[in-house]
Amino acid sequence: MSRIGNAPVVIPDGVEVKFDGHVITVKGPKGTLTRELHPDITAKQEDNEIIVTRPSDDKFHRSIHGTTRALIHNMVVGVSQGFEKKMEISGVGWRAQKQGNKLVMNLGYSHPVEMEDPEGIETKTDGPNTVIVSGIDKEAVGAYAALVRSKRPPEPYKGHGIKYADEHIRRKVGKTG
């Protein structure tokens, strides 16, 4: 019994869902997303809801049932509201700024780190120490935010680095001398 898989995906106003075999296309005010679903899982639209069903209670079918429903839900939320990840930079003299479609960060290296925004992803700076990654594809937003974070991950002794706004860095005690 999948609690997530059995829950219907509610389609808000302004969002259009189209099925073409096992390919689902979701169109909304922020853009369009397309994804190919697993051939064993069936998804159908009833009124303003999407119902996801599985053919059997096999372990594999149970595992992809909830995943498929969550992917469809993320597509609907993405084209209607969008996703964003907020990140904070901490360190003396470390900052980020936007130059065109490039994110330029000074992270204590001998050179600035420049990252170009991929298609469908937008970065903004909210002050010199805050970076906001936003877009309609949750997977792409998370992957690009992880790539930005990987340029200088937070370290546990002084807490310097790029961290997510809701992330807690467990601090360690340094050597005593």
Side-chain angles (χ1 to χ4, degrees):
M1 188 68 169
S2 172
R3 282 185 236 152
I4 294 174
N6 289 333
V9 178
V10 178
I11 303 171
D13 293 337
V15 175
E16 180 184 321
V17 179
K18 191 167 72 174
F19 293 96
D20 184 26
H22 288 288
V23 178
I24 182 172
T25 304
V26 182
K27 188 182 292 185
K30 292 202 175 255
T32 304
L33 290 175
T34 303
R35 182 178 287 271
E36 186 173 352
L37 304 178
H38 194 277
D40 291 349
I41 298 296
T42 57
K44 59 183 179 282
Q45 185 175 355
E46 295 177 1
D47 298 329
N48 65 339
E49 293 181 337
I50 299 174
I51 308 295
V52 180
T53 57
R54 62 178 184 242
S56 70
D57 277 344
D58 185 36
K59 183 176 182 179
F60 176 72
H61 289 150
R62 286 194 321 255
S63 67
I64 62 173
H65 184 211
T67 301
T68 304
R69 188 261 178 206
L71 290 172
I72 293 172
H73 175 72
N74 287 341
M75 290 171 71
V76 170
V77 171
V79 298
S80 60
Q81 300 170 3
F83 294 101
E84 73 174 29
K85 290 255 186 195
K86 193 170 186 181
M87 309 174 84
E88 297 171 350
I89 300 174
S90 63
V92 177
W94 296 7
R95 63 188 166 277
Q97 59 189 9
K98 194 76 172 145
Q99 291 178 355
N101 68 339
K102 284 186 179 181
L103 179 67
V104 180
M105 298 178 287
N106 294 330
L107 301 173
Y109 295 121
S110 61
H111 59 282
V113 177
E114 294 184 2
M115 299 182 69
E116 193 166 331
D117 294 350
E119 188 176 329
I121 302 293
E122 181 188 352
T123 57
K124 295 181 283 204
T125 55
D126 188 23
N129 295 335
T130 306
V131 176
I132 299 171
V133 180
S134 60
I136 62 172
D137 188 359
K138 186 174 187 178
E139 189 175 347
V141 168
Y144 190 67
L147 184 65
V148 170
R149 183 183 183 273
S150 72
K151 299 302 177 186
R152 192 65 115 157
E155 53 94 19
Y157 294 102
K158 291 186 178 179
H160 295 324
I162 303 173
K163 70 178 190 82
Y164 298 114
D166 56 354
E167 182 180 15
H168 176 72
I169 305 301
R170 179 175 281 159
R171 300 292 296 270
K172 291 182 178 179
V173 179
K175 291 196 289 188
T176 55

